Amino acid sequence: MPFMEWRDEYSVHHATLDFDHQMLINIINQLHDAIQTKQDTAVIGMVIGSLKRYVETHFKREETVMRECRFPDLKAHARKHREIEATVNDVLTLFQRAPQEVDSQEVLRFLKTWLVNHILKSDMKYAPYVEHEGRLPAAVD
């Protein structure tokens, strides 16, 4: 059973942003698996690096969507993004310097709690603004 699983309640009704959230869950699961199977620190470091890059990519994409939809709370939401980017960067930097000083279970708990809370609380605030923008076209028979 994966450490985290996608649930329909996480959907912000925008196909690309939902996909991004699913990818973040996948990367967190990869990190969990690498830690649980005691992979080499280089492997764990690569996964944390992937997480850092994907967080940054996702936040840029999400902020672009929010800007296009004229989401009124964009500035506050973007500030939260910068805080998370800094935290993930700090984890990566510490892990690269002294992997033994990183409490991997604490990092996993933080990531899971952050992502679920961010989606369910912060991201759901913009969902009504992007609902119609991110729908996939209906299938044509």
PDB file of all heavy atoms in Angstrom, residues 112-126:
ATOM      1  N   LYS A 112       3.502  14.844   3.635  1.00  0.00           N
ATOM      2  CA  LYS A 112       2.133  14.330   3.518  1.00  0.00           C
ATOM      3  C   LYS A 112       1.132  15.334   4.083  1.00  0.00           C
ATOM      4  O   LYS A 112       0.128  15.659   3.446  1.00  0.00           O
ATOM      5  CB  LYS A 112       2.019  12.988   4.239  1.00  0.00           C
ATOM      6  CG  LYS A 112       0.674  12.321   4.076  1.00  0.00           C
ATOM      7  CD  LYS A 112       0.683  10.937   4.731  1.00  0.00           C
ATOM      8  CE  LYS A 112      -0.575  10.168   4.430  1.00  0.00           C
ATOM      9  NZ  LYS A 112      -0.509   8.798   4.960  1.00  0.00           N
ATOM     10  N   THR A 113       1.415  15.836   5.279  1.00  0.00           N
ATOM     11  CA  THR A 113       0.519  16.798   5.918  1.00  0.00           C
ATOM     12  C   THR A 113       0.429  18.074   5.099  1.00  0.00           C
ATOM     13  O   THR A 113      -0.657  18.605   4.861  1.00  0.00           O
ATOM     14  CB  THR A 113       1.018  17.116   7.346  1.00  0.00           C
ATOM     15  OG1 THR A 113       1.058  15.897   8.086  1.00  0.00           O
ATOM     16  CG2 THR A 113       0.110  18.116   8.045  1.00  0.00           C
ATOM     17  N   TRP A 114       1.585  18.573   4.658  1.00  0.00           N
ATOM     18  CA  TRP A 114       1.592  19.796   3.851  1.00  0.00           C
ATOM     19  C   TRP A 114       0.755  19.615   2.591  1.00  0.00           C
ATOM     20  O   TRP A 114      -0.125  20.436   2.310  1.00  0.00           O
ATOM     21  CB  TRP A 114       3.019  20.200   3.453  1.00  0.00           C
ATOM     22  CG  TRP A 114       2.979  21.048   2.220  1.00  0.00           C
ATOM     23  CD1 TRP A 114       2.495  22.325   2.115  1.00  0.00           C
ATOM     24  CD2 TRP A 114       3.327  20.647   0.895  1.00  0.00           C
ATOM     25  NE1 TRP A 114       2.539  22.738   0.804  1.00  0.00           N
ATOM     26  CE2 TRP A 114       3.048  21.725   0.038  1.00  0.00           C
ATOM     27  CE3 TRP A 114       3.854  19.477   0.344  1.00  0.00           C
ATOM     28  CZ2 TRP A 114       3.289  21.669  -1.325  1.00  0.00           C
ATOM     29  CZ3 TRP A 114       4.085  19.425  -1.016  1.00  0.00           C
ATOM     30  CH2 TRP A 114       3.800  20.513  -1.835  1.00  0.00           C
ATOM     31  N   LEU A 115       1.004  18.570   1.817  1.00  0.00           N
ATOM     32  CA  LEU A 115       0.324  18.433   0.529  1.00  0.00           C
ATOM     33  C   LEU A 115      -1.180  18.279   0.710  1.00  0.00           C
ATOM     34  O   LEU A 115      -1.960  18.974   0.041  1.00  0.00           O
ATOM     35  CB  LEU A 115       0.898  17.259  -0.271  1.00  0.00           C
ATOM     36  CG  LEU A 115       0.363  17.132  -1.700  1.00  0.00           C
ATOM     37  CD1 LEU A 115       0.594  18.411  -2.500  1.00  0.00           C
ATOM     38  CD2 LEU A 115       1.005  15.950  -2.410  1.00  0.00           C
ATOM     39  N   VAL A 116      -1.590  17.431   1.599  1.00  0.00           N
ATOM     40  CA  VAL A 116      -3.029  17.230   1.816  1.00  0.00           C
ATOM     41  C   VAL A 116      -3.683  18.527   2.292  1.00  0.00           C
ATOM     42  O   VAL A 116      -4.702  18.955   1.747  1.00  0.00           O
ATOM     43  CB  VAL A 116      -3.287  16.078   2.810  1.00  0.00           C
ATOM     44  CG1 VAL A 116      -4.751  16.027   3.228  1.00  0.00           C
ATOM     45  CG2 VAL A 116      -2.869  14.747   2.180  1.00  0.00           C
ATOM     46  N   ASN A 117      -3.082  19.185   3.284  1.00  0.00           N
ATOM     47  CA  ASN A 117      -3.654  20.432   3.791  1.00  0.00           C
ATOM     48  C   ASN A 117      -3.637  21.538   2.744  1.00  0.00           C
ATOM     49  O   ASN A 117      -4.589  22.316   2.634  1.00  0.00           O
ATOM     50  CB  ASN A 117      -2.935  20.898   5.051  1.00  0.00           C
ATOM     51  CG  ASN A 117      -3.304  20.076   6.257  1.00  0.00           C
ATOM     52  OD1 ASN A 117      -4.387  19.491   6.325  1.00  0.00           O
ATOM     53  ND2 ASN A 117      -2.410  20.014   7.222  1.00  0.00           N
ATOM     54  N   HIS A 118      -2.558  21.608   1.986  1.00  0.00           N
ATOM     55  CA  HIS A 118      -2.458  22.656   0.963  1.00  0.00           C
ATOM     56  C   HIS A 118      -3.547  22.471  -0.094  1.00  0.00           C
ATOM     57  O   HIS A 118      -4.209  23.431  -0.483  1.00  0.00           O
ATOM     58  CB  HIS A 118      -1.068  22.656   0.325  1.00  0.00           C
ATOM     59  CG  HIS A 118      -0.857  23.800  -0.610  1.00  0.00           C
ATOM     60  ND1 HIS A 118      -0.646  25.089  -0.165  1.00  0.00           N
ATOM     61  CD2 HIS A 118      -0.844  23.863  -1.959  1.00  0.00           C
ATOM     62  CE1 HIS A 118      -0.505  25.889  -1.213  1.00  0.00           C
ATOM     63  NE2 HIS A 118      -0.616  25.165  -2.310  1.00  0.00           N
ATOM     64  N   ILE A 119      -3.731  21.252  -0.531  1.00  0.00           N
ATOM     65  CA  ILE A 119      -4.759  20.996  -1.548  1.00  0.00           C
ATOM     66  C   ILE A 119      -6.151  21.245  -0.975  1.00  0.00           C
ATOM     67  O   ILE A 119      -6.947  21.973  -1.557  1.00  0.00           O
ATOM     68  CB  ILE A 119      -4.662  19.553  -2.095  1.00  0.00           C
ATOM     69  CG1 ILE A 119      -3.368  19.364  -2.895  1.00  0.00           C
ATOM     70  CG2 ILE A 119      -5.884  19.233  -2.971  1.00  0.00           C
ATOM     71  CD1 ILE A 119      -3.090  17.911  -3.278  1.00  0.00           C
ATOM     72  N   LEU A 120      -6.438  20.640   0.174  1.00  0.00           N
ATOM     73  CA  LEU A 120      -7.798  20.694   0.716  1.00  0.00           C
ATOM     74  C   LEU A 120      -8.179  22.061   1.267  1.00  0.00           C
ATOM     75  O   LEU A 120      -9.367  22.408   1.272  1.00  0.00           O
ATOM     76  CB  LEU A 120      -7.985  19.637   1.799  1.00  0.00           C
ATOM     77  CG  LEU A 120      -7.993  18.195   1.311  1.00  0.00           C
ATOM     78  CD1 LEU A 120      -8.125  17.233   2.489  1.00  0.00           C
ATOM     79  CD2 LEU A 120      -9.103  17.947   0.298  1.00  0.00           C
ATOM     80  N   LYS A 121      -7.214  22.836   1.718  1.00  0.00           N
ATOM     81  CA  LYS A 121      -7.539  24.145   2.292  1.00  0.00           C
ATOM     82  C   LYS A 121      -7.210  25.286   1.321  1.00  0.00           C
ATOM     83  O   LYS A 121      -8.092  26.042   0.932  1.00  0.00           O
ATOM     84  CB  LYS A 121      -6.817  24.335   3.620  1.00  0.00           C
ATOM     85  CG  LYS A 121      -7.325  23.380   4.690  1.00  0.00           C
ATOM     86  CD  LYS A 121      -6.595  23.560   5.986  1.00  0.00           C
ATOM     87  CE  LYS A 121      -7.116  22.545   7.012  1.00  0.00           C
ATOM     88  NZ  LYS A 121      -6.307  22.511   8.204  1.00  0.00           N
ATOM     89  N   SER A 122      -5.958  25.421   0.940  1.00  0.00           N
ATOM     90  CA  SER A 122      -5.554  26.554   0.100  1.00  0.00           C
ATOM     91  C   SER A 122      -6.018  26.411  -1.343  1.00  0.00           C
ATOM     92  O   SER A 122      -6.608  27.327  -1.909  1.00  0.00           O
ATOM     93  CB  SER A 122      -4.036  26.723   0.133  1.00  0.00           C
ATOM     94  OG  SER A 122      -3.604  27.009   1.440  1.00  0.00           O
ATOM     95  N   ASP A 123      -5.730  25.250  -1.943  1.00  0.00           N
ATOM     96  CA  ASP A 123      -6.044  25.088  -3.365  1.00  0.00           C
ATOM     97  C   ASP A 123      -7.544  25.058  -3.630  1.00  0.00           C
ATOM     98  O   ASP A 123      -7.991  25.514  -4.680  1.00  0.00           O
ATOM     99  CB  ASP A 123      -5.385  23.831  -3.927  1.00  0.00           C
ATOM    100  CG  ASP A 123      -3.873  23.967  -4.045  1.00  0.00           C
ATOM    101  OD1 ASP A 123      -3.342  25.066  -3.785  1.00  0.00           O
ATOM    102  OD2 ASP A 123      -3.227  22.971  -4.384  1.00  0.00           O
ATOM    103  N   MET A 124      -8.310  24.551  -2.708  1.00  0.00           N
ATOM    104  CA  MET A 124      -9.761  24.509  -2.924  1.00  0.00           C
ATOM    105  C   MET A 124     -10.368  25.902  -3.013  1.00  0.00           C
ATOM    106  O   MET A 124     -11.438  26.082  -3.582  1.00  0.00           O
ATOM    107  CB  MET A 124     -10.459  23.710  -1.827  1.00  0.00           C
ATOM    108  CG  MET A 124     -10.275  22.224  -1.952  1.00  0.00           C
ATOM    109  SD  MET A 124     -10.800  21.609  -3.573  1.00  0.00           S
ATOM    110  CE  MET A 124      -9.931  20.055  -3.611  1.00  0.00           C
ATOM    111  N   LYS A 125      -9.662  26.893  -2.499  1.00  0.00           N
ATOM    112  CA  LYS A 125     -10.155  28.271  -2.599  1.00  0.00           C
ATOM    113  C   LYS A 125     -10.138  28.766  -4.046  1.00  0.00           C
ATOM    114  O   LYS A 125     -10.954  29.592  -4.422  1.00  0.00           O
ATOM    115  CB  LYS A 125      -9.327  29.198  -1.710  1.00  0.00           C
ATOM    116  CG  LYS A 125      -9.539  28.950  -0.232  1.00  0.00           C
ATOM    117  CD  LYS A 125      -8.655  29.865   0.596  1.00  0.00           C
ATOM    118  CE  LYS A 125      -8.802  29.562   2.081  1.00  0.00           C
ATOM    119  NZ  LYS A 125      -7.859  30.345   2.893  1.00  0.00           N
ATOM    120  N   TYR A 126      -9.185  28.289  -4.857  1.00  0.00           N
ATOM    121  CA  TYR A 126      -9.159  28.731  -6.250  1.00  0.00           C
ATOM    122  C   TYR A 126      -9.959  27.821  -7.168  1.00  0.00           C
ATOM    123  O   TYR A 126     -10.252  28.179  -8.308  1.00  0.00           O
ATOM    124  CB  TYR A 126      -7.725  28.933  -6.770  1.00  0.00           C
ATOM    125  CG  TYR A 126      -6.915  27.676  -7.017  1.00  0.00           C
ATOM    126  CD1 TYR A 126      -7.238  26.774  -8.017  1.00  0.00           C
ATOM    127  CD2 TYR A 126      -5.779  27.413  -6.259  1.00  0.00           C
ATOM    128  CE1 TYR A 126      -6.485  25.637  -8.253  1.00  0.00           C
ATOM    129  CE2 TYR A 126      -5.012  26.276  -6.485  1.00  0.00           C
ATOM    130  CZ  TYR A 126      -5.379  25.405  -7.478  1.00  0.00           C
ATOM    131  OH  TYR A 126      -4.625  24.286  -7.711  1.00  0.00           O
TER     132      TYR A 126
END
